[in-house]
Each structure stands twice: as C-alpha cells, then as structure tokens.
Amino acid sequence: MNRTMDRQIIITLTLLTLALTGLAQASMKRIEESYELDLTQVMLPAHTADQLTLKACEDCYTVQMSVDAGTSYHVGMRSAGVTLQTLIAAADAVSNREDTPIYVMYQPESLVVTRIILGSASR
C-alpha cells in the first residue's frame, strides 16, 4: 500500500512538473531581432519618422523597416545615444563602407527599428 502511494505521488509530481515546463515555454517570445550588415547594405532613414531600407545579401529581398521616436541611434558599440543626423554624418564620413559594420535591431512582429548602431571600420 505504501509503495503504491509513493508511486502515485511521484507520477503526479512528474506530470505536474512537465505541465508547468510546457507553460513556461509557451510564455517565451522574441522581443527583438537584429541584422549585422555593412554600410553598403543599408539606406539610412532621412527623418526620425521614416523608413530604413536594407538588403541582407545579393539574392535577398529588400526589406523596409520603420523608425520612430523610440528608435535610438549610436556611433560605436558602447556609445550613448546620438541624433539621427549625427549617425548619418558619421556614416557619410566612413571611407571604407564595405568593412564598416552597422547593426539594426528591430521588433520582429512590427518591423519597427529599436536601435541602429554604427560600428567602427575593420583595420
């Protein structure tokens, strides 16, 4: 009788653990994705309420994403935010656009850009 009760408790706890694990997995969702590109693959927006255009590869489709007042712009990986015009000026000053990375972070469901980070040119 005691062994049967122990077995039932173990089975019940195992099933409960599996059920809770399934619920925890279901609540996870992607909140941000990113592209790592070079400057030749991106057309920066002209205004803070505009479109960013990118092409991730030669055979890839062109993608347009929105920027808005919530989008932040950075020159350098650990820099404080700058204005869009400062980012554009820094990108225009780059001589080797193919070796200069730019990172575009966005919300996957809405395609709204959250951050644009201009990296430094490779040496």
Side-chain angles (χ1 to χ4, degrees):
M1 183 88 172
N2 224 0
R3 290 182 118 185
T4 305
M5 186 72 103
D6 288 343
R7 235 183 238 155
Q8 287 177 342
I9 291 172
I10 290 171
I11 291 171
T12 302
L13 289 175
T14 302
L15 291 174
L16 187 59
T17 302
L18 291 173
L20 292 176
T21 302
L23 290 175
Q25 294 281 334
S27 67
M28 297 172 84
K29 74 176 204 178
R30 298 177 304 177
I31 57 171
E32 189 175 65
E33 289 203 14
S34 66
Y35 281 101
E36 180 179 346
L37 308 161
D38 64 54
L39 273 177
T40 63
Q41 297 172 285
V42 177
M43 181 184 292
L44 293 170
H47 308 284
T48 56
D50 200 358
Q51 298 283 317
L52 173 137
T53 305
L54 63 87
K55 191 166 182 177
C57 68
E58 192 173 307
D59 296 330
C60 296
Y61 291 107
T62 300
V63 177
Q64 288 191 326
M65 296 184 199
S66 300
V67 295
D68 60 18
T71 304
S72 65
Y73 309 96
H74 305 268
V75 178
M77 293 304 288
R78 294 191 175 109
S79 71
V82 298
T83 65
L84 174 58
Q85 297 312 316
T86 301
L87 177 73
I88 291 170
D92 287 345
V94 170
S95 59
N96 189 353
R97 297 177 70 78
E98 290 178 352
D99 288 334
T100 302
I102 188 163
Y103 307 92
V104 178
M105 281 59 124
Y106 65 96
Q107 298 168 342
E109 293 171 4
S110 63
L111 294 181
V112 172
V113 177
T114 56
R115 289 176 288 160
I116 302 173
I117 303 170
L118 178 65
S120 58
S122 302
R123 296 177 184 197

